[in-house]
Protein backbone atom coordinates (compact mmCIF):
# COMPACT_ATOMS: atom_id res chain seq x y z
CA UNK A 1 0.00 0.00 0.00
CA UNK A 2 1.22 3.48 -0.73
CA UNK A 3 2.42 5.45 2.26
CA UNK A 4 0.72 8.77 3.05
CA UNK A 5 4.10 10.48 3.43
CA UNK A 6 5.31 9.42 -0.02
CA UNK A 7 1.93 9.30 -1.75
CA UNK A 8 -0.52 11.79 -0.21
CA UNK A 9 -4.22 11.63 -1.03
CA UNK A 10 -4.95 13.90 -3.99
CA UNK A 11 -8.13 15.80 -4.73
CA UNK A 12 -8.68 13.32 -7.56
CA UNK A 13 -8.39 10.36 -5.11
CA UNK A 14 -10.85 12.08 -2.81
CA UNK A 15 -13.30 12.71 -5.68
CA UNK A 16 -13.00 9.08 -6.86
CA UNK A 17 -13.71 7.80 -3.36
CA UNK A 18 -16.80 10.01 -3.06
CA UNK A 19 -17.99 9.02 -6.56
CA UNK A 20 -17.53 5.30 -5.91
CA UNK A 21 -19.33 5.63 -2.58
CA UNK A 22 -22.21 7.27 -4.46
CA UNK A 23 -22.31 4.22 -6.75
CA UNK A 24 -22.97 2.07 -3.69
CA UNK A 25 -19.60 0.36 -3.47
CA UNK A 26 -18.41 -0.80 -0.08
CA UNK A 27 -15.33 0.45 1.69
CA UNK A 28 -13.12 -2.52 0.74
CA UNK A 29 -14.13 -2.35 -2.95
CA UNK A 30 -13.42 1.39 -3.05
CA UNK A 31 -10.03 0.89 -1.38
CA UNK A 32 -9.07 -1.74 -3.97
CA UNK A 33 -10.15 0.44 -6.90
CA UNK A 34 -8.36 3.60 -5.79
CA UNK A 35 -5.32 1.78 -4.34
CA UNK A 36 -5.73 3.18 -0.84
CA UNK A 37 -6.07 1.63 2.60
CA UNK A 38 -9.57 0.89 3.94
CA UNK A 39 -8.90 3.28 6.80
CA UNK A 40 -8.13 6.09 4.35
CA UNK A 41 -11.44 5.46 2.57
CA UNK A 42 -13.29 5.41 5.91
CA UNK A 43 -11.69 8.67 7.06
CA UNK A 44 -12.46 10.51 3.80
CA UNK A 45 -16.06 9.28 3.77
CA UNK A 46 -16.51 10.26 7.43
CA UNK A 47 -15.12 13.74 6.68
CA UNK A 48 -17.70 14.06 3.91
CA UNK A 49 -20.50 12.80 6.17
CA UNK A 50 -20.94 9.64 4.10
CA UNK A 51 -21.83 6.32 5.69
CA UNK A 52 -21.67 2.80 4.31
CA UNK A 53 -24.72 0.56 4.03
CA UNK A 54 -24.10 -2.20 6.54
CA UNK A 55 -27.32 -4.11 5.86
CA UNK A 56 -25.54 -6.62 3.61
CA UNK A 57 -22.91 -7.19 6.28
CA UNK A 58 -25.60 -7.56 8.94
CA UNK A 59 -27.52 -10.03 6.75
CA UNK A 60 -24.35 -12.00 6.07
CA UNK A 61 -23.51 -12.02 9.78
CA UNK A 62 -27.01 -13.27 10.68
CA UNK A 63 -26.74 -15.98 8.02
CA UNK A 64 -23.32 -17.06 9.31
CA UNK A 65 -24.56 -17.14 12.91
CA UNK A 66 -27.51 -19.31 11.83
CA UNK A 67 -25.17 -21.57 9.87
CA UNK A 68 -22.90 -22.00 12.88
CA UNK A 69 -25.90 -22.75 15.12
CA UNK A 70 -27.00 -25.46 12.69
CA UNK A 71 -23.48 -26.93 12.66
CA UNK A 72 -23.41 -26.93 16.48
CA UNK A 73 -26.76 -28.71 16.54
CA UNK A 74 -25.54 -31.31 14.03
CA UNK A 75 -22.37 -31.86 16.05
CA UNK A 76 -24.42 -32.20 19.24
CA UNK A 77 -26.55 -34.90 17.59
CA UNK A 78 -23.40 -36.71 16.43
CA UNK A 79 -21.97 -36.59 19.95
CA UNK A 80 -25.23 -37.98 21.41
CA UNK A 81 -25.14 -40.81 18.87
CA UNK A 82 -21.50 -41.49 19.74
CA UNK A 83 -22.43 -41.70 23.42
CA UNK A 84 -25.18 -44.18 22.60
CA UNK A 85 -22.79 -46.36 20.58
CA UNK A 86 -20.23 -46.27 23.37
CA UNK A 87 -22.71 -47.28 26.06
CA UNK A 88 -24.06 -50.04 23.81
CA UNK A 89 -20.54 -51.50 23.53
CA UNK A 90 -20.53 -52.07 27.29
CA UNK A 91 -22.98 -54.96 26.85
CA UNK A 92 -21.79 -56.47 23.57
CA UNK A 93 -19.29 -59.31 23.02
CA UNK A 94 -15.71 -58.09 22.87
CA UNK A 95 -12.19 -59.29 22.29
CA UNK A 96 -9.68 -58.66 25.02
CA UNK A 97 -6.00 -59.01 24.31
CA UNK A 98 -2.54 -58.83 25.78
CA UNK A 99 0.58 -58.01 23.83
CA UNK A 100 4.04 -58.10 25.26
CA UNK A 101 5.83 -59.91 28.02
CA UNK A 102 9.40 -61.17 27.90
CA UNK A 103 8.63 -63.28 24.81
CA UNK A 104 6.72 -60.44 23.12
CA UNK A 105 3.64 -62.58 22.59
CA UNK A 106 0.08 -61.77 21.58
CA UNK A 107 -2.96 -63.43 23.13
CA UNK A 108 -6.62 -62.66 22.76
CA UNK A 109 -9.87 -63.95 24.16
CA UNK A 110 -13.49 -63.42 23.15
CA UNK A 111 -15.76 -62.49 26.07
CA UNK A 112 -19.52 -61.91 26.42
CA UNK A 113 -18.94 -58.31 27.49
CA UNK A 114 -15.91 -56.08 28.15
CA UNK A 115 -14.16 -56.21 31.53
CA UNK A 116 -15.17 -53.63 34.14
CA UNK A 117 -12.16 -51.38 33.47
CA UNK A 118 -13.07 -51.17 29.79
CA UNK A 119 -16.71 -50.52 30.72
CA UNK A 120 -15.55 -47.68 32.93
CA UNK A 121 -13.57 -46.19 30.03
CA UNK A 122 -16.53 -46.56 27.67
CA UNK A 123 -18.81 -44.85 30.20
CA UNK A 124 -16.29 -42.03 30.71
CA UNK A 125 -16.00 -41.49 26.95
CA UNK A 126 -19.80 -41.51 26.61
CA UNK A 127 -20.08 -39.01 29.46
CA UNK A 128 -17.57 -36.70 27.81
CA UNK A 129 -19.46 -36.89 24.51
CA UNK A 130 -22.76 -36.05 26.23
CA UNK A 131 -21.18 -33.21 28.22
CA UNK A 132 -19.70 -31.65 25.09
CA UNK A 133 -23.01 -32.08 23.28
CA UNK A 134 -24.89 -30.29 26.03
CA UNK A 135 -22.36 -27.45 25.97
CA UNK A 136 -22.90 -27.04 22.23
CA UNK A 137 -26.70 -27.06 22.51
CA UNK A 138 -27.90 -26.64 26.10
CA UNK A 139 -31.32 -28.07 26.88
CA UNK A 140 -34.20 -25.62 26.77
CA UNK A 141 -35.33 -24.15 30.08
CA UNK A 142 -38.90 -25.31 29.50
CA UNK A 143 -37.97 -28.97 29.82
CA UNK A 144 -40.98 -29.87 31.96
CA UNK A 145 -39.32 -29.07 35.28
CA UNK A 146 -42.49 -27.50 36.63
CA UNK A 147 -44.53 -30.57 35.67
CA UNK A 148 -41.99 -32.85 37.33
CA UNK A 149 -42.01 -30.73 40.48
CA UNK A 150 -45.81 -30.84 40.51
CA UNK A 151 -45.84 -34.64 40.19
CA UNK A 152 -43.16 -35.00 42.87
CA UNK A 153 -45.05 -32.62 45.16
CA UNK A 154 -48.27 -34.63 44.78
CA UNK A 155 -46.32 -37.84 45.38
CA UNK A 156 -44.80 -36.43 48.56
CA UNK A 157 -48.22 -35.33 49.85
CA UNK A 158 -49.61 -38.81 49.12
CA UNK A 159 -46.66 -40.54 50.80
CA UNK A 160 -47.00 -38.33 53.88
CA UNK A 161 -50.72 -39.08 54.10
CA UNK A 162 -50.04 -42.81 53.78
CA UNK A 163 -47.32 -42.58 56.43
CA UNK A 164 -49.58 -40.64 58.81
CA UNK A 165 -52.40 -43.13 58.29
CA UNK A 166 -50.10 -46.10 58.90
CA UNK A 167 -48.72 -44.42 62.02
CA UNK A 168 -52.20 -43.72 63.41
CA UNK A 169 -53.33 -47.28 62.66
CA UNK A 170 -50.21 -48.60 64.40
CA UNK A 171 -50.88 -46.37 67.41
CA UNK A 172 -54.57 -47.34 67.43
CA UNK A 173 -53.66 -51.03 67.30
CA UNK A 174 -51.47 -50.76 70.39
CA UNK A 175 -54.26 -49.18 72.43
CA UNK A 176 -56.69 -51.83 71.26
CA UNK A 177 -54.53 -54.52 72.85
CA UNK A 178 -55.48 -53.19 76.23
CA UNK A 179 -52.43 -51.23 77.17
CA UNK A 180 -53.33 -48.05 78.93
CA UNK A 181 -51.21 -44.96 78.81
Amino acid sequence: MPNQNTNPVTDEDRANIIRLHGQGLGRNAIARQVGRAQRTVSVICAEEGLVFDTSMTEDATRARVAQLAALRADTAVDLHLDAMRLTQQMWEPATIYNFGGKDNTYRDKHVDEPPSGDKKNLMAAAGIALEKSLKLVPPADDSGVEDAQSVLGALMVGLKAAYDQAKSEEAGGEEAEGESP
Side-chain angles (χ1 to χ4, degrees), residues 9-102:
V9 176
T10 64
D11 290 338
E12 184 181 341
D13 290 337
R14 183 177 288 277
N16 278 338
I17 290 171
I18 294 168
R19 178 181 54 79
L20 293 171
H21 181 277
Q23 293 176 359
L25 268 66
R27 181 194 67 173
N28 294 348
I30 294 171
R32 279 191 297 275
Q33 280 199 4
V34 297
R36 295 290 178 176
Q38 293 96 345
R39 174 153 170 49
T40 301
V41 172
S42 294
V43 167
I44 290 171
C45 287
E47 289 172 354
E48 296 295 323
L50 304 174
V51 293
F52 290 99
D53 179 15
T54 60
S55 61
M56 286 180 23
T57 303
E58 291 167 357
D59 291 344
T61 300
R62 275 193 294 280
R64 183 67 177 144
V65 167
Q67 183 182 33
L68 289 172
L71 287 171
R72 280 193 309 275
D74 289 346
T75 302
V77 169
D78 290 345
L79 287 167
H80 264 77
L81 294 173
D82 290 343
M84 288 173 57
R85 284 189 290 269
L86 288 165
T87 55
Q88 184 178 355
Q89 288 179 26
M90 292 188 337
W91 312 110
E92 294 178 347
T95 302
I96 57 174
Y97 64 91
N98 182 19
F99 184 78
K102 71 175 186 165

